[in-house]
Amino acid sequence: MRHQLFIDGRFVDAESGETLATLNPHDNATLADVALAGKADVDRAVAAAQRAFPAWSRMAAADRGRILLKLADLIDAHTEELAQLESLDTGHPIRDTRRLDVPRTAGCFRYFGGMADKFQGETIPVEAGFLNYTLREPVGVVGQIVPWNFPLMFTSWKMAPALAAGNCIVMKPSEITPLSSLRIAELMAEAGLPPGVVNMVPGLGHVVGQYIAEHPGIAKVAFTGSTATGRRIVQASAGNLKKVQLELGGKGANIVFDDAFLPAAIHGSAFAIFHNQGQACIAGSRLMLHEKIADAFLEQFIPLAQSIRLGNPLDDATEMGPLTSALHRERVLNYVEIAKGEGGELLAGGKSPSGELAHGCYVEPTVVRAKSWRDRVAQEEVFGPFVTVLTFKDDEEAMQIANGTDYGLGSGLWTRDLQRAHKVARELHAGMVWINSYKRVNPGSPFGGVGQSGYGREMGFDAMREYTQVKSVWVNVDAQVPPHFVR
Ligand code: NDP
């Protein structure tokens, strides 16, 4: 496969000639040297996207959809290759990349391929003599900044609705994990995507990401990443008043009530935090237990966490791989020190494994009981296999704790009481709520947050609204004279 920038339908070197090594987090060995984009490359990519826009946006929506459907089939046909690439570059266990990441990527392109010719404007009943209708028009050239935690899947979440709606794209995959996105670019060309419609410029966030957010030729920027960087993007976007869509961090409350079916809650809560090594904005990182069941829950949850098989992501038996970078492992381990400093009790993990995994970016599944829900480990996003346990005595206290952060992305609850389930779902400060499950996603279901977790929605009809703007068209069908200035 190619390791260059993808601009105007061709793989090209960065103008500066610079490259950056992408590493395998299992052993920190170099996987490939990938071209590192700079500002001049972003300018080339924007110019290519602007040239491609008129034809792409005017193409029949069904024809755009057909290309996305073909791409989805190509992704399915390359499942094993893409799964291996993603596992090598990110550290996700191969059983997950085969079963979740790749099928979800194909599914997302397929959903929006089908959506392309089903998203429509409206006719509005206005005053007599006039017809008023709306057109949903693409925004133009959109900049998309994708992080390293689900690079393949997020490439589809960002690109599929944007393309279905007729936009052209300049995408910055994370320079830590660019390989699967670049392979998708190759498959896009094979599926018949015209040159310039999608351009990929892996580069440094503070250089290329920042420049995309500032660029006057880009009409919208969509970003997934930390809240701090999201704030910088909003500031940078002010120059040409870009549309901005932000999917930021989270500190998911996972609430287990005393009437919950415990076996399901225990396994569901382990998936909520340890899937993808906890590197998920929707991770259930605050495990909130009713005090009556807390001991019984932890008696089974802790051994379950300790029994998770860490190992080489390419091994079929591996349940948890390494974190995606050494820098991030240090960040996560630092939270163990913060927890100890705050008087938290370490119930499991809290360190990197020894032995043959010591050279990789591994962290053991970590369970910490915090002293207070106001502690840093109960408020800040750790973004690793690190769950903070809190207890509560009644529903009122549960809601106070659950809603007691600045974030508002995903939350979950476990109960057998129907009334309580819906009441709590309504009261949670969150963009998504899971009842007796956790971390469900589907291309038809809106995904996004409130508060410091960002704004805008990915997936479903909402995503099509995000990637279009409304034009209202007035037609005088039989009014004789305009109502004003009649003498
Ligand atoms: P960042 O928010 O810094 O990075 C996310 C993406 O944004 C990367 O592609 C990054 O590029 C890019 N970026 C960085 N600075 C800018 C900028 N000024 N303008 C535009 N784009 C920029 O997150 P980190 O990777 O540093 O991770 C830190 C924390 O962020 C994590 O611990 C986690 O809490 C949170 N995070 C949340 C994610 C989510 O899914 N919501 C995803 C990733 C991180 P580059 O890699 O070159 O810095």
Side-chain angles (χ1 to χ4, degrees), residues 148-149 172 175 205 209-210 223 226 229 248 281 328 331 381:
W148 43 265
N149 56 331
K172 185 190 105 56
E175 80 286 359
Q210 179 77 20
F223 170 78
S226 66
T229 304
L248 307 176
C281 46
H328 192 55
R331 232 185 251 156
E381 184 175 46

